[in-house]
Amino acid sequence: MLDTAIQRLKNAGYKLTNARRMVLEILCRDDAHLTSAEVLERASLGKDPIGRATVFRTLDLLTELAIIRPTYLRPGTPHYIVMPENGHHAHIICPKCQRVIEIDDCEIEGLLDELVLRHKIKISGHLLELYGECEYCR
Amino acid sequence: MLDTAIQRLKNAGYKLTNARRMVLEILCRDDAHLTSAEVLERASLGKDPIGRATVFRTLDLLTELAIIRPTYLRPGTPHYIVMPENGHHAHIICPKCQRVIEIDDCEIEGLLDELVLRHKIKISGHLLELYGECEYCR
DNA sequence: ATAATACTGAGAGTAAGTATCAATTAGGCG
DNA sequence: CGCCTAATTGATACTTACTCTCAGTATTAT
Ligand SMILES: [Zn+2]
Ligand SMILES: [Zn+2]
Ligand SMILES: [Zn+2]
Ligand SMILES: [Zn+2]
C-alpha cells in the first residue's frame, strides 16, 4: 500500500520528500484512522522530525490527490484513511459512541457503474459510511 | 424533513428548545452543506440569536442522534448534512476542487441488507462519498 | 402555576489550522 | 557525479475553530 501511494504521488508530479514519505509511512503502518495531531505526534518521535505546517500541508496534498481521505469519526478534527489501490474503504460508525467497525469487502461495483454512466464522471474511489448504534450502545 | 427531525429529537428524550429548532430550520431550509460558522452566521441574523457554544453543542447532539452528519468537503471545518427520513445521502466530491455533485437516488439497499446480516448491527443510515475529478478539473 | 431539571449564553481559555519567508533539498541535466 | 533550479520545508506568529464553566433561563410534567 505504501509503495502504491508513493507511486501515485510521483506520478502526479510531486517530489518524494522525507516529510511526505514519513507521513505516508505513519498512515500506512498503523493502517488506522489518525488525526493530524496523531500524525504530528508520531512524526516528532524519531530523528528528523517534521514541522507542524508541513504535516498539515502534506495531509491536504494527499487528500487532493485522493491518496488519503479525511472522515469525521468524532467532533473536532478529521481522521485520515489511506485509500487502497482500488480506492475503496468502508466502515460502520456508531454515531453515539463513535466506535468504528471496519468492513473488509466492499461490494459496490454494480451501483458505481450505473452512477458513472449517469453523471459522466470517472469515479476513482469512494468511502461508504454506515451509521448504526453499536452493540455496546444498545 | 424538518418535522421528522424534530420528532426524532423529541423521541430521544431531548427538549425542543428555540436554539435546536433554529439550527434544524437553518440546515433544512437551505438543504445545503453548511459549516458551523455558516450556521452560526445565519442563527445570528434574526431576533433571538443563538450563542456560539450552543450552536456547537447542538450540532454535536444532532450528529450523535444521526439527525445530521458532518462530511469533509475541504480543509478546516466539517460541513453538515441533514439526514432524510430514510437515512440516505450520497454525493460525488472532486478531491481537487472540492465541487460536489448531489446524487438524488441512492440504490444501495441490497448491499446494506447483506452487511447488516454479517455484522449483526442495525444500520440506521449511511453516507456514500464518491471521489473523482470533476469536468472542470480535467 | 410550580417545581425539577435540562438547557443556554457570555466570556475566557485551549487547540487546530494558516501565512510568511528565508533556508533547504529533490531531481533533472550535463 | 555535482551543479542548478524550482519545489518544499520549518520556525514563528497569527487566525480561526472549538471547549469549558457556571450562573441564569426555558421547557416539560404534574
Ligand atoms: Zn475505516
Ligand atoms: Zn456505540
Ligand atoms: Zn450532499
Ligand atoms: Zn474539480
Side-chain angles (χ1 to χ4, degrees):
Chain A
M1 189 131 96
L2 178 59
D3 291 341
T4 313
I6 288 174
Q7 201 52 55
R8 276 193 280 168
L9 181 69
K10 284 181 166 177
N11 288 346
Y14 292 93
K15 292 181 178 175
L16 176 60
T17 63
N18 182 50
R20 287 170 181 168
R21 193 206 319 271
M22 194 180 293
V23 168
L24 278 172
E25 273 175 9
I26 288 165
L27 287 173
C28 286
R29 183 191 314 148
D30 299 326
D31 199 14
H33 307 62
L34 302 180
T35 63
S36 56
E38 289 164 340
V39 173
L40 189 49
E41 189 194 336
R42 286 162 173 69
S44 307
L45 293 181
K47 66 171 180 58
D48 268 336
I50 310 174
R52 178 180 188 61
T54 303
V55 167
F56 284 102
R57 272 190 297 236
T58 304
L59 291 173
D60 286 352
L61 174 65
L62 293 174
T63 300
E64 193 180 295
L65 296 178
I67 295 172
I68 65 175
R69 229 306 126 172
T71 182
Y72 286 99
L73 300 185
R74 45 187 169 73
T77 188
H79 290 243
Y80 292 88
I81 299 164
V82 183
M83 279 297 192
E85 201 160 5
N86 64 8
H88 298 195
H89 190 96
H91 50 215
I92 301 173
I93 300 171
C94 171
K96 213 162 176 179
C97 73
Q98 290 112 19
R99 276 192 187 83
V100 177
I101 302 168
E102 293 304 315
I103 299 173
D104 294 328
D105 53 341
C106 175
E107 294 304 338
I108 205 169
E109 291 308 312
L111 172 67
L112 290 189
D113 291 346
E114 196 195 299
L115 286 172
V116 168
L117 279 176
R118 197 168 345 144
H119 294 282
K120 297 186 193 69
I121 190 166
K122 191 178 162 295
I123 300 297
S124 55
H126 69 260
L127 177 67
L128 172 60
E129 296 192 297
L130 304 169
Y131 313 117
E133 276 197 7
C134 75
E135 55 181 319
Y136 305 100
C137 290
R138 267 188 288 159
Chain B
M1 188 131 96
L2 179 59
D3 292 341
T4 314
I6 288 174
Q7 201 51 57
R8 277 193 280 167
L9 181 69
K10 284 181 166 177
N11 289 346
Y14 292 92
K15 291 180 177 174
L16 176 59
T17 63
N18 182 50
R20 287 168 182 170
R21 193 205 319 271
M22 195 180 292
V23 168
L24 277 172
E25 274 175 11
I26 288 166
L27 287 173
C28 286
R29 184 192 314 146
D30 300 327
D31 199 15
H33 305 64
L34 301 180
T35 63
S36 54
E38 288 165 342
V39 173
L40 190 50
E41 188 194 337
R42 285 162 173 71
S44 306
L45 292 180
K47 69 169 179 57
D48 267 336
I50 310 175
R52 177 176 191 59
T54 302
V55 167
F56 285 102
R57 273 190 295 237
T58 303
L59 291 173
D60 286 353
L61 174 65
L62 294 174
T63 300
E64 192 179 298
L65 297 177
I67 294 171
I68 64 175
R69 229 304 126 175
T71 184
Y72 186 100
L73 299 186
R74 46 187 167 73
T77 188
H79 290 243
Y80 291 89
I81 298 163
V82 184
M83 279 299 191
E85 201 159 5
N86 65 7
H88 298 196
H89 189 98
H91 51 214
I92 300 173
I93 300 170
C94 172
K96 214 162 175 178
C97 73
Q98 290 113 16
R99 277 193 185 81
V100 177
I101 301 168
E102 293 303 316
I103 298 173
D104 294 329
D105 53 341
C106 174
E107 293 304 338
I108 204 168
E109 290 309 312
L111 171 68
L112 291 190
D113 291 344
E114 196 194 300
L115 286 173
V116 168
L117 279 176
R118 195 166 349 141
H119 294 282
K120 297 186 193 70
I121 191 165
K122 192 177 160 297
I123 300 296
S124 57
H126 69 258
L127 176 67
L128 173 61
E129 296 193 296
L130 305 169
Y131 314 116
E133 275 196 10
C134 76
E135 56 182 317
Y136 305 101
C137 290
R138 266 185 292 159

